[in-house]
């Protein structure tokens, strides 16, 4: 019998303080998982705690694998993973998007050596850097979400570029036209940058809690269909049915040209 092959991918919830007991991966990581499963690989999502897998999405941010991810390959060549990331997933996104090499931390079996998505050796300290990035992100958001809004009608914090720095407060709601927001910017420097058109867009982070695949009509997180790929002539798409809105951020360049700040 051949050695058992598997790929282990861990989850990370930077918003544990506000959304506890969530098993979360980013949209990019979910697409990687789906590609690997569709190719027949046994993908294990850790921790195996019985919680359903949900994914984080960010509307209006162009960074690809912006959050660090740890991947362990058991009896699988690293080229399998690097080819999928480089040749398959990258095609799904705008060519302007880039991958932060250090954020994809790949281990092979029980080796202490780590690699990036290009198969290049990473610094020995990269394991610690990934752990440090995650801790700083989580601790930062924990502190931010403990702060109570000074505005009774604007309960949701507004962050800068999806980083744990509160620059204002807002109220989020959705109607037939989509998601809308009313906000107050409290940071004087950010106000000035907005007035100078150096920051002119909005981006929303959400947790997709209920989704549906257009091909099989089942949970998009669970099935192996790839968005944008055609199956018997029908292109696969994902519908987010239920979501938990996490935060709104001021960003420099929103992907959606309609997600602009109407500054008054």
């Amino acid at each position: 019998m051949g050695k058992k092959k598997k790929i282990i991918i861990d989850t990370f919830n930077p918003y544990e303080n506000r959304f506890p007991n969530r098993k979360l991966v980013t949209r990019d990581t979910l697409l990687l998982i789906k590609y690997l499963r569709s190719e027949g690989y046994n993908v294990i999502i850790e921790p195996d705690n019985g919680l359903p897998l949900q994914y984080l999405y960010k509307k209006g941010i162009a960074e690809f694998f912006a959050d660090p991810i740890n991947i362990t390959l058991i009896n699988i060549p690293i080229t399998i993973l690097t080819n999928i990331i480089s040749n398959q997933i990258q095609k799904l996104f705008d060519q302007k998007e880039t991958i932060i090499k250090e954020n994809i931390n790949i281990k092979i079996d029980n080796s202490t050596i780590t690699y990036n998505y290009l198969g290049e050796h990473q610094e020995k300290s990269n394991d610690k850097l990934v752990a440090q990035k995650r801790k700083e992100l989580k601790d930062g958001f924990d502190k931010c979400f403990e702060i109570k809004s000074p505005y009774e009608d604007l309960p949701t914090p507004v962050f800068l570029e999806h980083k744990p720095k509160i620059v204002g407060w807002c109220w989020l709601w959705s109607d037939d036209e989509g998601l809308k927001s009313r906000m107050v910017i409290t940071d004087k420097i950010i106000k000035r940058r907005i007035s100078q058109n150096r920051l002119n867009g909005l981006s929303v982070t959400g947790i997709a809690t209920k989704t549906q695949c257009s091909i099989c009509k089942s949970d998009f997180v669970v099935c192996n269909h790839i968005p944008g790929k055609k199956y018997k002539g029908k292109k696969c798409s994902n519908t987010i049915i239920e979501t938990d809105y996490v935060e709104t951020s001021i960003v420099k360049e929103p992907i959606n040209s309609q997600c602009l700040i109407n500054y008054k």
Side-chain angles (χ1 to χ4, degrees), residues 215-228:
I215 301 299
C216 62
K217 306 302 180 184
S218 64
D219 187 346
F220 179 76
V221 174
V222 175
C223 80
N224 293 339
H225 295 115
I226 309 298

Side-chain angles (χ1 to χ4, degrees), residues 144-160:
C144 288
F145 285 129
E146 287 175 355
I147 299 173
K148 187 176 180 180
S149 172
Y151 305 95
E152 193 172 313
D153 59 338
L154 303 173
T156 305
V158 178
F159 295 96
L160 178 63

Side-chain angles (χ1 to χ4, degrees), residues 131-194:
Q132 182 181 341
K133 278 184 181 181
R134 286 183 162 187
K135 185 177 186 305
E136 289 175 354
L137 200 62
K138 183 179 179 301
D139 289 350
F141 279 117
D142 282 352
K143 291 178 182 178
C144 288
F145 285 129
E146 287 175 355
I147 299 173
K148 187 176 180 180
S149 172
Y151 305 95
E152 193 172 313
D153 59 338
L154 303 173
T156 305
V158 178
F159 295 96
L160 178 63
E161 299 283 2
H162 297 290
K163 300 296 189 293
K165 174 181 172 61
I166 296 177
V167 297
W169 298 89
C170 75
W171 174 43
L172 289 172
W173 77 95
S174 59
D175 57 23
D176 293 339
E177 296 178 353
L179 184 65
K180 294 183 178 179
S181 175
R182 181 167 60 85
M183 68 178 62
V184 170
I185 303 301
T186 55
D187 188 293
K188 292 181 180 179
I189 295 176
I190 300 305
K191 272 186 179 180
R192 184 166 65 248
R193 290 175 66 185
I194 292 173

Side-chain angles (χ1 to χ4, degrees), residues 32-61:
L32 175 59
I33 292 169
K34 289 168 75 70
Y35 257 112
L36 291 168
R37 288 192 311 216
S38 69
E39 293 293 324
Y41 293 100
N42 179 23
V43 182
I44 298 172
I45 312 300
E46 292 191 339
D48 184 11
N49 53 13
L51 293 174
L53 184 65
Q54 299 173 338
Y55 75 93
L56 286 163
Y57 63 89
K58 295 177 182 178
K59 296 286 187 182
I61 186 169

Side-chain angles (χ1 to χ4, degrees), residues 19-188:
F19 297 95
N21 302 318
R22 301 293 184 99
K23 190 174 180 178
L24 300 179
V25 293
T26 63
R27 173 197 62 163
D28 311 321
T29 302
L30 176 62
L31 290 178
L32 175 59
I33 292 169
K34 289 168 75 70
Y35 257 112
L36 291 168
R37 288 192 311 216
S38 69
E39 293 293 324
Y41 293 100
N42 179 23
V43 182
I44 298 172
I45 312 300
E46 292 191 339
D48 184 11
N49 53 13
L51 293 174
L53 184 65
Q54 299 173 338
Y55 75 93
L56 286 163
Y57 63 89
K58 295 177 182 178
K59 296 286 187 182
I61 186 169
E63 289 181 321
F64 191 54
F65 281 105
D67 296 331
I69 173 178
N70 290 315
I71 303 173
T72 303
L73 305 179
I74 307 296
N75 299 316
I76 295 176
I78 192 171
T79 51
I80 296 294
L81 187 64
T82 57
N83 286 341
I84 287 177
I85 295 176
S86 300
N87 301 329
Q88 299 295 331
I89 294 184
Q90 185 75 67
K91 294 177 183 177
L92 294 176
F93 297 93
D94 190 285
Q95 293 301 313
K96 294 180 181 178
E97 297 186 34
T98 56
I99 298 177
I100 303 172
K101 293 192 296 183
E102 296 77 15
N103 276 1
I104 301 180
N105 204 44
I106 305 170
K107 286 185 178 181
I108 300 177
D109 300 318
N110 295 318
S111 173
T112 57
I113 300 173
T114 65
Y115 303 83
N116 60 34
Y117 81 98
L118 296 174
E120 301 167 338
H121 283 209
Q122 306 216 86
E123 296 290 335
K124 290 183 178 179
S125 59
N126 199 64
D127 255 350
K128 292 181 179 179
L129 288 175
V130 167
Q132 182 181 341
K133 278 184 181 181
R134 286 183 162 187
K135 185 177 186 305
E136 289 175 354
L137 200 62
K138 183 179 179 301
D139 289 350
F141 279 117
D142 282 352
K143 291 178 182 178
C144 288
F145 285 129
E146 287 175 355
I147 299 173
K148 187 176 180 180
S149 172
Y151 305 95
E152 193 172 313
D153 59 338
L154 303 173
T156 305
V158 178
F159 295 96
L160 178 63
E161 299 283 2
H162 297 290
K163 300 296 189 293
K165 174 181 172 61
I166 296 177
V167 297
W169 298 89
C170 75
W171 174 43
L172 289 172
W173 77 95
S174 59
D175 57 23
D176 293 339
E177 296 178 353
L179 184 65
K180 294 183 178 179
S181 175
R182 181 167 60 85
M183 68 178 62
V184 170
I185 303 301
T186 55
D187 188 293
K188 292 181 180 179

Side-chain angles (χ1 to χ4, degrees), residues 219-259:
D219 187 346
F220 179 76
V221 174
V222 175
C223 80
N224 293 339
H225 295 115
I226 309 298
K229 187 175 179 180
K230 287 187 177 181
Y231 298 86
K232 296 182 179 180
K234 294 183 179 180
K235 185 180 288 187
C236 175
S237 62
N238 169 39
T239 300
I240 298 176
I241 300 172
E242 294 179 6
T243 186
D244 287 330
Y245 292 117
V246 178
E247 53 94 356
T248 298
S249 278
I250 303 291
V251 295
K252 184 178 180 180
E253 295 180 359
I255 290 177
N256 189 335
S257 59
Q258 295 182 343
C259 295

